[in-house]
Amino acid sequence: MENNHNEGMSGFLAIEQKLAVSTRRHRGFPRDQAMLVRMVKLLHKLFSDHANLLLRTHDLTHPEYNVLMMLDGSEGGLSPSQLGEATSEKSSNTTRLIDQLLAKGLLTRSPSDEDRRMLVVQLTDEGEALIRQVVPAVTLQLQGFFAGITDAQRGQLEHLLKKVLRGVESQG
């Protein structure tokens, strides 16, 4: 893990090699599309690994940070199911993350004022303070991830990834 740049590139090279073999073995195999999917997966792993290293100093994991940030971006909190949807976590993992963050004193979970059958998860003052403490370092990390591309290229990448998301979601 000490040399993540090389780990990412060696992972990329391994993907290229294996896809070349699959392309030779299977006529019509969509190598370009498969490469993009594998690259997105590798990027996700590397983003998460780097984030976990950074967040470890704050006694947080990347999934916990994502929960805190989704709550930070909400007005009045979220239900556990809304939180799971916002963080792209499975229901069981969302419950586990909420429990971990409750134990750390960073969240509260209470009945909704509108519907007492529904629970609402919100940040505590300690959770809000931790976010204020972590965001500057995360901001620098994110800027570093994308330092090699221009604002226009980032906009184009976002536009293209949204199109891919729509295509994946339309597959049902």
Side-chain angles (χ1 to χ4, degrees):
M1 194 70 157
E2 290 154 10
N3 197 345
N4 283 330
H5 175 71
N6 288 339
E7 177 187 328
M9 289 310 295
S10 66
F12 175 74
L13 293 173
I15 292 167
E16 277 190 317
Q17 291 167 352
K18 289 177 182 25
L19 286 176
V21 171
S22 293
T23 302
R24 283 193 308 272
R25 285 186 180 165
H26 306 283
R27 183 184 179 124
F29 182 75
R31 180 246 176 240
D32 294 348
Q33 291 90 338
M35 174 58 81
L36 292 171
V37 169
R38 297 302 307 168
M39 288 173 70
V40 167
K41 185 172 177 137
L42 178 59
L43 279 169
H44 177 267
K45 179 194 179 308
L46 292 171
F47 286 155
S48 294
D49 289 350
H50 282 278
N52 280 323
L53 282 174
L54 174 73
L55 295 166
R56 183 182 302 157
T57 61
H58 299 280
D59 192 32
L60 285 177
T61 65
H62 192 229
E64 289 173 334
Y65 165 80
N66 285 334
V67 167
L68 295 176
M69 288 305 292
M70 290 303 103
L71 289 169
D72 182 61
S74 72
E75 296 293 332
L78 296 169
S79 71
S81 62
Q82 291 170 324
L83 196 50
E85 186 174 316
T87 59
S88 302
E89 294 285 350
K90 292 180 181 176
S91 176
S92 59
N93 203 40
T94 301
T95 300
R96 183 184 57 78
L97 290 166
I98 291 169
D99 289 344
Q100 288 171 202
L101 293 166
L102 283 166
K104 293 179 183 185
L106 301 173
L107 302 181
T108 61
R109 180 174 48 201
S110 57
S112 166
D113 291 337
E114 292 86 39
D115 183 349
R116 306 296 288 168
R117 297 170 296 174
M118 188 174 92
L119 294 174
V120 175
V121 180
Q122 294 178 298
L123 293 170
T124 62
D125 291 342
E126 293 82 3
E128 290 177 4
L130 182 58
I131 288 172
R132 284 192 300 276
Q133 185 181 4
V134 169
V135 163
V138 170
T139 299
L140 287 174
Q141 186 178 64
L142 290 171
Q143 289 169 339
F145 289 160
F146 294 94
I149 62 175
T150 66
D151 290 347
Q153 289 168 328
R154 278 194 306 277
Q156 184 180 19
L157 180 58
E158 180 179 345
H159 174 75
L160 293 171
L161 288 173
K162 284 178 181 176
K163 283 185 164 193
V164 173
L165 277 171
R166 282 191 292 274
V168 171
E169 288 175 342
S170 73
Q171 296 293 306

